[in-house]
Amino acid sequence: MFMKRTTLWAIACLIGFSAICLPARAGDPIPELVILKPFIGTWKTVSDAPNEPNSFTDVAKWECILNGRVVRITHNVNDGAYAGESLIHWDGQQQKIIYRYVTTAGFYTDGVITPAGGGGIDVHEYVRGATSGPTETLSHYEVKDDGRIHAWSKFLTGDAWTEPNTVIYEHAPEAQVNLP
């Protein structure tokens, strides 16, 4: 009888604790991450030159996890030939949105996301663990009135920044992220 009562009490506490900790609506980010809400979903882009050797398809899934305290982005290029995952969260000590992006290529990045005009976000990231290539990236992402993510990125290699390259992501709820 004691064991049964203890088990029921433990279950009741867990259910009550879960209800207290959950945000008002499942899938909503905490207030500090609300700027990322328009990006939640699955997105896909195909390079402008699909028959060229450097062509690619990128699928990215943005989702709220851990009661909205983290936004996770998983993405893959060309069905998993390259993939990565970002965990974005609020850092109360720094008062910033920060993240780490880890890749199948062996490098990772640490970055800061700041709100930009028009509901977009600016991203500044530092590349770690790579023996060559860019050391920093600057990017901008914005969901425009057409419902697509318009983005540009430029890269610091040596002491020179590249010209920005642009990409447009379409909302693609049926697309799958295939992580190796």
Side-chain angles (χ1 to χ4, degrees):
M1 181 70 164
F2 175 75
M3 184 66 102
K4 185 177 181 182
R5 211 174 348 174
T6 304
T7 303
L8 290 173
W9 176 249
I11 291 170
C13 286
L14 285 173
I15 290 169
F17 183 72
S18 295
I20 291 169
C21 292
L22 290 176
R25 288 183 22 192
D28 282 348
I30 61 172
E32 294 86 354
L33 300 178
V34 76
I35 190 72
L36 303 175
K37 189 172 181 174
F39 301 96
I40 303 299
T42 304
W43 304 85
K44 181 178 179 178
T45 188
V46 178
S47 63
D48 291 337
N51 296 324
E52 297 295 319
N54 293 331
S55 69
F56 65 91
T57 299
D58 185 7
V59 177
K61 181 177 181 180
W62 296 56
E63 60 188 323
C64 282
I65 61 171
L66 302 176
N67 295 333
R69 294 186 175 286
V70 175
V71 172
R72 175 174 50 201
I73 305 170
T74 51
H75 87 105
N76 69 14
V77 175
N78 296 339
D79 290 321
Y82 169 86
E85 180 170 336
S86 296
L87 295 177
I88 305 167
H89 61 95
W90 176 253
D91 184 311
Q93 186 175 11
Q94 295 184 56
Q95 295 290 294
K96 295 179 183 179
I97 300 172
I98 63 171
Y99 69 95
R100 176 161 284 180
Y101 170 59
V102 183
T103 73
T104 57
F107 69 90
Y108 66 95
T109 68
D110 290 316
V112 175
I113 296 173
T114 55
I121 55 173
D122 289 328
V123 179
H124 188 180
E125 59 190 318
Y126 299 88
V127 180
R128 316 273 193 228
T131 57
S132 62
T135 56
E136 290 183 49
T137 303
L138 292 174
S139 305
H140 176 82
Y141 298 83
E142 186 173 340
V143 178
K144 297 272 191 170
D145 290 339
D146 62 6
R148 303 183 301 172
I149 295 176
H150 294 249
W152 61 259
S153 298
K154 59 183 183 176
F155 308 95
L156 179 63
T157 303
D159 59 356
W161 287 94
T162 63
E163 290 296 316
N165 61 356
T166 60
V167 64
I168 296 175
Y169 288 85
E170 304 275 346
H171 191 245
E174 74 292 342
Q176 297 293 313
V177 175
N178 299 312
L179 297 177

